[in-house]
Amino acid sequence: MINYFSKYKFFFYLCNFILIFLYLYPGSILGWFLYNDASLQPQITPNLNLNLIVSSNHVYAFLILSLIGFFTYKKIEKLKILSIYLILLSIILEILHYFIPERSFEFPDLFGNLMGVIIVIIIFYFYKKNENFKN
């Protein structure tokens, strides 16, 4: 029997829930908590300028979520499903900003989401390739 509530899977699901909640909440919970103003969004580092601006906060958020997911599901057949899930999650969450008050769809945020996921996919591709080469 597959144990769906192992500590790693639970942590991954918890991180998903927290990210989705923070992402879809109208306004900024972190801004309200840190600055007592829900209209302010905390900025960890300046946005990346790669011929277009990429939101660094979104890169970090999806990089961390993707790393946790890829460490949780190490089997190669699960990595494809996880990759598709993370890419679709990053796109769908940003598209939902069209419909949420106090939120707006922005391409730099979408590119940041996708960049965070793609960086981890590339890292794990080379990790698995190197792991197979050693065996």
Side-chain angles (χ1 to χ4, degrees):
M1 182 174 136
I2 299 172
N3 185 4
Y4 287 105
F5 296 103
S6 71
K7 60 182 174 181
Y8 301 115
K9 289 180 183 177
F10 176 77
F11 186 62
F12 176 64
Y13 297 144
L14 180 65
C15 289
N16 269 283
F17 175 76
I18 292 170
L19 177 75
I20 292 169
F21 181 74
L22 290 174
Y23 216 93
L24 297 180
Y25 186 81
S28 172
I29 294 174
L30 297 176
W32 173 75
F33 182 72
L34 295 174
Y35 308 124
N36 203 20
D37 186 359
S39 65
L40 292 175
Q41 187 69 262
Q43 187 69 28
I44 298 171
T45 59
N47 289 334
L48 306 171
N49 191 356
L50 307 169
N51 291 335
L52 58 119
I53 297 176
V54 176
S55 174
S56 60
N57 283 351
H58 290 255
V59 172
Y60 301 143
F62 277 88
L63 188 82
I64 291 169
L65 179 67
S66 299
L67 280 172
I68 293 168
F70 276 83
F71 280 122
T72 302
Y73 297 99
K74 293 180 186 176
K75 294 184 180 178
I76 206 77
E77 61 272 359
K78 300 281 185 178
L79 294 181
K80 292 178 184 179
I81 295 169
L82 181 65
S83 300
I84 293 168
Y85 165 74
L86 290 168
I87 289 171
L88 287 176
L89 180 69
S90 66
I91 293 169
I92 290 169
L93 286 177
E94 193 60 39
I95 289 173
L96 287 174
H97 279 187
Y98 270 130
F99 310 105
I100 301 171
E102 305 295 325
R103 295 293 209 160
S104 62
F105 174 85
E106 296 180 10
F107 280 107
D109 294 349
L110 177 62
F111 296 144
N113 296 353
L114 292 172
M115 184 181 288
V117 173
I118 291 170
I119 288 170
V120 175
I121 290 172
I122 291 169
I123 289 170
F124 264 81
Y125 171 77
F126 287 114
Y127 171 76
K128 285 292 185 183
K129 190 174 183 180
N130 188 33
E131 188 178 77
N132 290 339
F133 182 71
K134 285 182 181 178
N135 295 330

